[in-house]
PDB file of all heavy atoms in Angstrom:
ATOM      1  N   ARG A   1      14.682  23.764  -3.220  1.00  0.00           N
ATOM      2  CA  ARG A   1      15.432  24.031  -4.454  1.00  0.00           C
ATOM      3  C   ARG A   1      14.743  25.073  -5.336  1.00  0.00           C
ATOM      4  O   ARG A   1      15.413  25.893  -5.973  1.00  0.00           O
ATOM      5  CB  ARG A   1      15.609  22.739  -5.254  1.00  0.00           C
ATOM      6  CG  ARG A   1      16.709  21.839  -4.710  1.00  0.00           C
ATOM      7  CD  ARG A   1      16.925  20.645  -5.606  1.00  0.00           C
ATOM      8  NE  ARG A   1      18.115  19.924  -5.190  1.00  0.00           N
ATOM      9  CZ  ARG A   1      19.332  20.117  -5.678  1.00  0.00           C
ATOM     10  NH1 ARG A   1      19.513  21.023  -6.625  1.00  0.00           N
ATOM     11  NH2 ARG A   1      20.359  19.418  -5.246  1.00  0.00           N
ATOM     12  N   LEU A   2      13.419  25.008  -5.420  1.00  0.00           N
ATOM     13  CA  LEU A   2      12.686  25.844  -6.370  1.00  0.00           C
ATOM     14  C   LEU A   2      12.132  27.120  -5.755  1.00  0.00           C
ATOM     15  O   LEU A   2      11.704  28.020  -6.481  1.00  0.00           O
ATOM     16  CB  LEU A   2      11.527  25.034  -6.975  1.00  0.00           C
ATOM     17  CG  LEU A   2      11.909  23.752  -7.721  1.00  0.00           C
ATOM     18  CD1 LEU A   2      10.650  22.992  -8.141  1.00  0.00           C
ATOM     19  CD2 LEU A   2      12.770  24.073  -8.935  1.00  0.00           C
ATOM     20  N   GLY A   3      12.104  27.193  -4.429  1.00  0.00           N
ATOM     21  CA  GLY A   3      11.527  28.362  -3.783  1.00  0.00           C
ATOM     22  C   GLY A   3      10.033  28.458  -3.967  1.00  0.00           C
ATOM     23  O   GLY A   3       9.462  29.560  -4.011  1.00  0.00           O
ATOM     24  N   VAL A   4       9.373  27.299  -4.079  1.00  0.00           N
ATOM     25  CA  VAL A   4       7.924  27.235  -4.263  1.00  0.00           C
ATOM     26  C   VAL A   4       7.316  26.583  -3.019  1.00  0.00           C
ATOM     27  O   VAL A   4       7.804  25.553  -2.567  1.00  0.00           O
ATOM     28  CB  VAL A   4       7.569  26.412  -5.527  1.00  0.00           C
ATOM     29  CG1 VAL A   4       6.060  26.282  -5.692  1.00  0.00           C
ATOM     30  CG2 VAL A   4       8.179  27.069  -6.762  1.00  0.00           C
ATOM     31  N   PRO A   5       6.250  27.161  -2.452  1.00  0.00           N
ATOM     32  CA  PRO A   5       5.684  26.597  -1.228  1.00  0.00           C
ATOM     33  C   PRO A   5       4.957  25.278  -1.465  1.00  0.00           C
ATOM     34  O   PRO A   5       4.518  24.977  -2.580  1.00  0.00           O
ATOM     35  CB  PRO A   5       4.710  27.682  -0.750  1.00  0.00           C
ATOM     36  CG  PRO A   5       4.338  28.432  -1.992  1.00  0.00           C
ATOM     37  CD  PRO A   5       5.567  28.412  -2.861  1.00  0.00           C
ATOM     38  N   VAL A   6       4.821  24.518  -0.392  1.00  0.00           N
ATOM     39  CA  VAL A   6       4.131  23.228  -0.430  1.00  0.00           C
ATOM     40  C   VAL A   6       2.721  23.393   0.129  1.00  0.00           C
ATOM     41  O   VAL A   6       2.533  24.013   1.187  1.00  0.00           O
ATOM     42  CB  VAL A   6       4.897  22.170   0.387  1.00  0.00           C
ATOM     43  CG1 VAL A   6       4.141  20.837   0.375  1.00  0.00           C
ATOM     44  CG2 VAL A   6       6.307  21.987  -0.151  1.00  0.00           C
ATOM     45  N   ALA A   7       1.730  22.848  -0.573  1.00  0.00           N
ATOM     46  CA  ALA A   7       0.341  22.834  -0.104  1.00  0.00           C
ATOM     47  C   ALA A   7      -0.043  21.364   0.082  1.00  0.00           C
ATOM     48  O   ALA A   7      -0.599  20.732  -0.818  1.00  0.00           O
ATOM     49  CB  ALA A   7      -0.576  23.532  -1.092  1.00  0.00           C
ATOM     50  N   GLU A   8       0.277  20.840   1.263  1.00  0.00           N
ATOM     51  CA  GLU A   8       0.162  19.392   1.472  1.00  0.00           C
ATOM     52  C   GLU A   8      -1.279  18.923   1.628  1.00  0.00           C
ATOM     53  O   GLU A   8      -1.566  17.746   1.433  1.00  0.00           O
ATOM     54  CB  GLU A   8       0.980  19.001   2.705  1.00  0.00           C
ATOM     55  CG  GLU A   8       1.240  17.510   2.820  1.00  0.00           C
ATOM     56  CD  GLU A   8       2.274  17.181   3.875  1.00  0.00           C
ATOM     57  OE1 GLU A   8       3.051  18.087   4.267  1.00  0.00           O
ATOM     58  OE2 GLU A   8       2.313  16.029   4.307  1.00  0.00           O
ATOM     59  N   ARG A   9      -2.209  19.833   1.961  1.00  0.00           N
ATOM     60  CA  ARG A   9      -3.582  19.410   2.254  1.00  0.00           C
ATOM     61  C   ARG A   9      -4.567  19.842   1.171  1.00  0.00           C
ATOM     62  O   ARG A   9      -5.750  19.993   1.445  1.00  0.00           O
ATOM     63  CB  ARG A   9      -4.006  19.937   3.618  1.00  0.00           C
ATOM     64  CG  ARG A   9      -3.182  19.342   4.768  1.00  0.00           C
ATOM     65  CD  ARG A   9      -3.695  19.787   6.131  1.00  0.00           C
ATOM     66  NE  ARG A   9      -3.562  21.223   6.292  1.00  0.00           N
ATOM     67  CZ  ARG A   9      -4.519  22.031   6.761  1.00  0.00           C
ATOM     68  NH1 ARG A   9      -5.699  21.534   7.077  1.00  0.00           N
ATOM     69  NH2 ARG A   9      -4.306  23.324   6.897  1.00  0.00           N
ATOM     70  N   TRP A  10      -4.068  19.996  -0.050  1.00  0.00           N
ATOM     71  CA  TRP A  10      -4.965  20.380  -1.141  1.00  0.00           C
ATOM     72  C   TRP A  10      -5.626  19.176  -1.795  1.00  0.00           C
ATOM     73  O   TRP A  10      -6.602  19.325  -2.518  1.00  0.00           O
ATOM     74  CB  TRP A  10      -4.194  21.189  -2.185  1.00  0.00           C
ATOM     75  CG  TRP A  10      -4.035  22.631  -1.792  1.00  0.00           C
ATOM     76  CD1 TRP A  10      -4.005  23.143  -0.529  1.00  0.00           C
ATOM     77  CD2 TRP A  10      -3.889  23.741  -2.681  1.00  0.00           C
ATOM     78  NE1 TRP A  10      -3.839  24.497  -0.568  1.00  0.00           N
ATOM     79  CE2 TRP A  10      -3.763  24.904  -1.860  1.00  0.00           C
ATOM     80  CE3 TRP A  10      -3.826  23.876  -4.057  1.00  0.00           C
ATOM     81  CZ2 TRP A  10      -3.600  26.173  -2.408  1.00  0.00           C
ATOM     82  CZ3 TRP A  10      -3.649  25.143  -4.598  1.00  0.00           C
ATOM     83  CH2 TRP A  10      -3.541  26.284  -3.785  1.00  0.00           C
ATOM     84  N   LEU A  11      -5.081  18.003  -1.582  1.00  0.00           N
ATOM     85  CA  LEU A  11      -5.655  16.774  -2.130  1.00  0.00           C
ATOM     86  C   LEU A  11      -5.743  15.729  -1.029  1.00  0.00           C
ATOM     87  O   LEU A  11      -4.918  15.697  -0.118  1.00  0.00           O
ATOM     88  CB  LEU A  11      -4.794  16.219  -3.267  1.00  0.00           C
ATOM     89  CG  LEU A  11      -4.991  16.746  -4.683  1.00  0.00           C
ATOM     90  CD1 LEU A  11      -3.972  16.081  -5.615  1.00  0.00           C
ATOM     91  CD2 LEU A  11      -6.402  16.493  -5.193  1.00  0.00           C
ATOM     92  N   GLU A  12      -6.730  14.844  -1.143  1.00  0.00           N
ATOM     93  CA  GLU A  12      -6.866  13.711  -0.234  1.00  0.00           C
ATOM     94  C   GLU A  12      -7.087  12.446  -1.050  1.00  0.00           C
ATOM     95  O   GLU A  12      -7.655  12.490  -2.141  1.00  0.00           O
ATOM     96  CB  GLU A  12      -8.052  13.915   0.715  1.00  0.00           C
ATOM     97  CG  GLU A  12      -7.901  15.099   1.644  1.00  0.00           C
ATOM     98  CD  GLU A  12      -9.118  15.306   2.527  1.00  0.00           C
ATOM     99  OE1 GLU A  12     -10.123  14.563   2.341  1.00  0.00           O
ATOM    100  OE2 GLU A  12      -9.081  16.206   3.395  1.00  0.00           O
ATOM    101  N   ARG A  13      -6.595  11.333  -0.522  1.00  0.00           N
ATOM    102  CA  ARG A  13      -6.877  10.029  -1.149  1.00  0.00           C
ATOM    103  C   ARG A  13      -7.984   9.386  -0.328  1.00  0.00           C
ATOM    104  O   ARG A  13      -7.781   9.021   0.825  1.00  0.00           O
ATOM    105  CB  ARG A  13      -5.634   9.142  -1.176  1.00  0.00           C
ATOM    106  CG  ARG A  13      -5.825   7.894  -2.066  1.00  0.00           C
ATOM    107  CD  ARG A  13      -4.607   6.991  -2.025  1.00  0.00           C
ATOM    108  NE  ARG A  13      -3.458   7.579  -2.680  1.00  0.00           N
ATOM    109  CZ  ARG A  13      -2.954   7.155  -3.846  1.00  0.00           C
ATOM    110  NH1 ARG A  13      -3.528   6.153  -4.479  1.00  0.00           N
ATOM    111  NH2 ARG A  13      -1.889   7.724  -4.359  1.00  0.00           N
ATOM    112  N   ARG A  14      -9.168   9.276  -0.916  1.00  0.00           N
ATOM    113  CA  ARG A  14     -10.322   8.867  -0.126  1.00  0.00           C
ATOM    114  C   ARG A  14     -10.572   7.369  -0.113  1.00  0.00           C
ATOM    115  O   ARG A  14     -11.410   6.884   0.641  1.00  0.00           O
ATOM    116  CB  ARG A  14     -11.572   9.592  -0.603  1.00  0.00           C
ATOM    117  CG  ARG A  14     -11.969   9.338  -2.046  1.00  0.00           C
ATOM    118  CD  ARG A  14     -13.126  10.262  -2.412  1.00  0.00           C
ATOM    119  NE  ARG A  14     -13.596  10.040  -3.765  1.00  0.00           N
ATOM    120  CZ  ARG A  14     -14.519  10.808  -4.345  1.00  0.00           C
ATOM    121  NH1 ARG A  14     -15.027  11.825  -3.696  1.00  0.00           N
ATOM    122  NH2 ARG A  14     -14.910  10.557  -5.586  1.00  0.00           N
ATOM    123  N   ARG A  15      -9.871   6.644  -0.957  1.00  0.00           N
ATOM    124  CA  ARG A  15      -9.985   5.188  -0.863  1.00  0.00           C
ATOM    125  C   ARG A  15      -8.639   4.559  -1.193  1.00  0.00           C
ATOM    126  O   ARG A  15      -7.889   5.070  -2.029  1.00  0.00           O
ATOM    127  CB  ARG A  15     -11.075   4.630  -1.788  1.00  0.00           C
ATOM    128  CG  ARG A  15     -10.805   4.731  -3.261  1.00  0.00           C
ATOM    129  CD  ARG A  15     -11.935   4.056  -4.047  1.00  0.00           C
ATOM    130  NE  ARG A  15     -11.683   4.080  -5.475  1.00  0.00           N
ATOM    131  CZ  ARG A  15     -10.914   3.189  -6.108  1.00  0.00           C
ATOM    132  NH1 ARG A  15     -10.325   2.227  -5.441  1.00  0.00           N
ATOM    133  NH2 ARG A  15     -10.742   3.271  -7.415  1.00  0.00           N
ATOM    134  N   PRO A  16      -8.295   3.455  -0.509  1.00  0.00           N
ATOM    135  CA  PRO A  16      -7.008   2.803  -0.778  1.00  0.00           C
ATOM    136  C   PRO A  16      -7.016   2.155  -2.154  1.00  0.00           C
ATOM    137  O   PRO A  16      -8.030   1.599  -2.587  1.00  0.00           O
ATOM    138  CB  PRO A  16      -6.903   1.750   0.339  1.00  0.00           C
ATOM    139  CG  PRO A  16      -8.324   1.488   0.732  1.00  0.00           C
ATOM    140  CD  PRO A  16      -9.068   2.773   0.527  1.00  0.00           C
ATOM    141  N   THR A  17      -5.899   2.231  -2.843  1.00  0.00           N
ATOM    142  CA  THR A  17      -5.817   1.640  -4.187  1.00  0.00           C
ATOM    143  C   THR A  17      -4.826   0.487  -4.252  1.00  0.00           C
ATOM    144  O   THR A  17      -4.731  -0.175  -5.279  1.00  0.00           O
ATOM    145  CB  THR A  17      -5.401   2.717  -5.207  1.00  0.00           C
ATOM    146  OG1 THR A  17      -4.200   3.361  -4.760  1.00  0.00           O
ATOM    147  CG2 THR A  17      -6.493   3.755  -5.342  1.00  0.00           C
ATOM    148  N   GLY A  18      -4.088   0.243  -3.165  1.00  0.00           N
ATOM    149  CA  GLY A  18      -3.124  -0.851  -3.187  1.00  0.00           C
ATOM    150  C   GLY A  18      -1.970  -0.536  -4.119  1.00  0.00           C
ATOM    151  O   GLY A  18      -1.909   0.509  -4.765  1.00  0.00           O
ATOM    152  N   THR A  19      -1.044  -1.470  -4.218  1.00  0.00           N
ATOM    153  CA  THR A  19       0.094  -1.270  -5.106  1.00  0.00           C
ATOM    154  C   THR A  19      -0.338  -1.380  -6.562  1.00  0.00           C
ATOM    155  O   THR A  19      -1.198  -2.197  -6.914  1.00  0.00           O
ATOM    156  CB  THR A  19       1.202  -2.295  -4.820  1.00  0.00           C
ATOM    157  OG1 THR A  19       2.304  -2.042  -5.720  1.00  0.00           O
ATOM    158  CG2 THR A  19       0.725  -3.717  -5.023  1.00  0.00           C
ATOM    159  N   GLN A  20       0.251  -0.536  -7.409  1.00  0.00           N
ATOM    160  CA  GLN A  20      -0.084  -0.545  -8.839  1.00  0.00           C
ATOM    161  C   GLN A  20       1.073  -1.050  -9.682  1.00  0.00           C
ATOM    162  O   GLN A  20       1.024  -0.959 -10.906  1.00  0.00           O
ATOM    163  CB  GLN A  20      -0.477   0.864  -9.276  1.00  0.00           C
ATOM    164  CG  GLN A  20      -1.671   1.422  -8.509  1.00  0.00           C
ATOM    165  CD  GLN A  20      -2.442   2.398  -9.347  1.00  0.00           C
ATOM    166  OE1 GLN A  20      -3.607   2.165  -9.664  1.00  0.00           O
ATOM    167  NE2 GLN A  20      -1.810   3.484  -9.731  1.00  0.00           N
ATOM    168  N   THR A  21       2.076  -1.586  -9.042  1.00  0.00           N
ATOM    169  CA  THR A  21       3.312  -1.953  -9.729  1.00  0.00           C
ATOM    170  C   THR A  21       3.061  -2.904 -10.889  1.00  0.00           C
ATOM    171  O   THR A  21       3.673  -2.786 -11.952  1.00  0.00           O
ATOM    172  CB  THR A  21       4.304  -2.596  -8.737  1.00  0.00           C
ATOM    173  OG1 THR A  21       4.494  -1.698  -7.639  1.00  0.00           O
ATOM    174  CG2 THR A  21       5.627  -2.877  -9.412  1.00  0.00           C
ATOM    175  N   ARG A  22       2.163  -3.859 -10.689  1.00  0.00           N
ATOM    176  CA  ARG A  22       1.948  -4.896 -11.709  1.00  0.00           C
ATOM    177  C   ARG A  22       0.737  -4.624 -12.607  1.00  0.00           C
ATOM    178  O   ARG A  22       0.344  -5.478 -13.390  1.00  0.00           O
ATOM    179  CB  ARG A  22       1.799  -6.260 -11.027  1.00  0.00           C
ATOM    180  CG  ARG A  22       3.048  -6.718 -10.296  1.00  0.00           C
ATOM    181  CD  ARG A  22       2.828  -8.073  -9.621  1.00  0.00           C
ATOM    182  NE  ARG A  22       4.049  -8.552  -8.994  1.00  0.00           N
ATOM    183  CZ  ARG A  22       4.458  -8.201  -7.772  1.00  0.00           C
ATOM    184  NH1 ARG A  22       3.713  -7.361  -7.051  1.00  0.00           N
ATOM    185  NH2 ARG A  22       5.576  -8.673  -7.265  1.00  0.00           N
ATOM    186  N   LEU A  23       0.136  -3.439 -12.494  1.00  0.00           N
ATOM    187  CA  LEU A  23      -1.046  -3.126 -13.287  1.00  0.00           C
ATOM    188  C   LEU A  23      -0.661  -2.389 -14.568  1.00  0.00           C
ATOM    189  O   LEU A  23       0.248  -1.560 -14.567  1.00  0.00           O
ATOM    190  CB  LEU A  23      -2.017  -2.261 -12.476  1.00  0.00           C
ATOM    191  CG  LEU A  23      -2.591  -2.865 -11.199  1.00  0.00           C
ATOM    192  CD1 LEU A  23      -3.539  -1.875 -10.534  1.00  0.00           C
ATOM    193  CD2 LEU A  23      -3.298  -4.183 -11.476  1.00  0.00           C
ATOM    194  N   GLY A  24      -1.385  -2.683 -15.636  1.00  0.00           N
ATOM    195  CA  GLY A  24      -1.205  -1.961 -16.878  1.00  0.00           C
ATOM    196  C   GLY A  24      -1.931  -0.634 -16.840  1.00  0.00           C
ATOM    197  O   GLY A  24      -2.596  -0.282 -15.858  1.00  0.00           O
ATOM    198  N   SER A  25      -1.838   0.111 -17.943  1.00  0.00           N
ATOM    199  CA  SER A  25      -2.394   1.459 -17.986  1.00  0.00           C
ATOM    200  C   SER A  25      -3.900   1.474 -17.732  1.00  0.00           C
ATOM    201  O   SER A  25      -4.390   2.265 -16.921  1.00  0.00           O
ATOM    202  CB  SER A  25      -2.084   2.090 -19.349  1.00  0.00           C
ATOM    203  OG  SER A  25      -2.622   3.383 -19.435  1.00  0.00           O
ATOM    204  N   ALA A  26      -4.648   0.605 -18.427  1.00  0.00           N
ATOM    205  CA  ALA A  26      -6.108   0.595 -18.270  1.00  0.00           C
ATOM    206  C   ALA A  26      -6.507   0.193 -16.859  1.00  0.00           C
ATOM    207  O   ALA A  26      -7.419   0.786 -16.260  1.00  0.00           O
ATOM    208  CB  ALA A  26      -6.739  -0.350 -19.294  1.00  0.00           C
TER     209      ALA A  26
END
């Protein structure tokens, strides 16, 4: 839609964080 390329390998998640659905901001 935007004509902007994707850089899929610029970030990595180095540790699992689990679901955050029930967590507050802090």
Side-chain angles (χ1 to χ4, degrees):
R1 282 185 171 267
L2 301 174
V4 177
V6 178
E8 195 168 341
R9 295 185 297 133
W10 279 27
L11 275 177
E12 296 178 355
R13 191 183 291 251
R14 61 187 182 186
R15 68 176 183 83
T17 53
T19 180
Q20 301 209 117
T21 305
R22 296 179 176 84
L23 298 180
S25 179

